Amino acid sequence: MLDLLLWLLGYQLAGEALVRWMGWPMPGPVMGLLLLFATLWLRRSVPETLQREAPRFLSHMSLLFIPAGGALLAYAPMLRAHGWQLALIMLASSLATLLATGLVLKLLLRGRGH
């Protein structure tokens, strides 16, 4: 699992450094994820460490909801005042993400001849 964490934290750090250095208005972890994707795509394979450890890591992803729950309590007054706007934004962004994912999958499958 240590290898997996080194991969993920290394790419997050690289993404954070690149975003700050270039001055781009984007989160560093997102850039790190794009760098990881590019690395895996260029390698045309997933390292054995990632194949073996990623499912165990993903089974503990629910722990990431603990800080989000704390944020809900900390920002409760703002949520009461602007809750419907935030809900609308979350719905729109979720739909946009689903549509973009579906389009990318369709393009990738078309390229493979399916």
Side-chain angles (χ1 to χ4, degrees), residues 8-47:
L8 295 178
L9 290 176
Y11 275 95
Q12 181 178 350
L13 179 64
E16 192 70 43
L18 182 63
V19 164
R20 287 180 186 250
W21 180 61
M22 299 297 283
W24 290 338
M26 115 186 268
V30 172
M31 177 57 70
L33 181 66
L34 292 173
L35 291 172
L36 177 61
F37 175 76
T39 301
L40 296 176
W41 183 73
L42 289 172
R43 285 176 53 117
R44 301 271 189 225
S45 68
V46 178

Side-chain angles (χ1 to χ4, degrees), residues 62-110:
S62 61
L63 292 174
L64 297 177
F65 289 110
I66 294 171
L72 286 175
L73 295 175
Y75 292 102
M78 185 188 71
L79 290 173
R80 274 192 225 84
H82 304 289
W84 71 270
Q85 292 107 330
L86 292 170
L88 185 63
I89 289 168
M90 287 183 353
L91 178 67
S93 63
S94 295
L95 288 174
T97 301
L98 286 172
L99 287 173
T101 303
L103 288 173
V104 168
L105 179 63
K106 190 174 182 177
L107 289 172
L108 290 173
L109 289 176
R110 185 182 307 152

Side-chain angles (χ1 to χ4, degrees), residues 43-63:
R43 285 176 53 117
R44 301 271 189 225
S45 68
V46 178
E48 177 64 31
T49 301
L50 293 182
Q51 286 181 1
R52 184 181 64 246
E53 300 296 336
R56 287 193 319 163
F57 184 76
L58 290 174
S59 69
H60 299 291
M61 291 295 281
S62 61
L63 292 174

